[in-house]
Amino acid sequence: QVQLVESGGGLVQAGGSLRLSCAASGSGFSINAMGWYRQAPGKQRELVARITSGGSTNYADSVKGRCTISRDNAKNTVALQMNSLKPEDTAVYYCNADAWTVVLGHWGDYWGQGTQVTVSS
């Protein structure tokens, strides 16, 4: 089993910065990639950034140059530093982990409960 808990969301002015954090906990799992996704009202959930255990990263075009994803493999944590925030960044941000679990015996996606990010203009 894998539990993901996000923190760091909140209200910020346009042009400001925010740092989101996510911690994976539980037992009997091994994580490959971790990432951040977001979903605005009436919109589909989309990838913001993703990072593998080896440090390879992917970013959505809309956040390139403004966001940086990082992780601590030993602690099973991932963070997203967001700068120069825009109103269109407003969404619920979800932490994701691609993990192998001993009980299930296969790879699967796990999700946190989400944290709200609101950027005012």
Side-chain angles (χ1 to χ4, degrees):
Q1 58 183 20
V2 183
Q3 293 82 45
L4 302 175
V5 179
E6 304 100 330
S7 62
L11 175 64
V12 65
Q13 298 266 340
S17 298
L18 209 58
R19 184 178 178 86
L20 306 182
S21 297
C22 173
S25 63
S27 62
F29 68 88
S30 180
I31 296 176
N32 177 25
M34 298 187 77
W36 289 93
Y37 292 72
R38 67 186 181 188
Q39 186 168 27
K43 304 291 184 179
Q44 291 186 309
R45 186 173 299 187
E46 63 176 354
L47 171 71
V48 178
R50 191 168 177 82
I51 184 169
T52 68
S53 59
S56 179
T57 60
N58 290 301
Y59 295 94
D61 288 340
S62 60
V63 303
K64 284 183 178 178
R66 300 189 296 118
C67 294
T68 301
I69 189 170
S70 60
R71 67 183 289 177
D72 185 328
N73 292 333
K75 295 182 177 181
N76 287 321
T77 59
V78 63
L80 182 69
Q81 178 67 45
M82 301 188 292
N83 302 317
S84 302
L85 286 165
K86 305 174 181 180
E88 49 263 46
D89 293 319
T90 296
V92 176
Y93 284 69
Y94 297 91
C95 179
N96 167 264
D98 179 17
W100 171 277
T101 60
V102 173
V103 173
L104 296 179
H106 61 74
W107 293 94
D109 281 340
Y110 295 84
W111 298 89
Q113 81 288 347
T115 184
Q116 178 70 48
V117 171
T118 302
V119 184
S120 62
S121 59

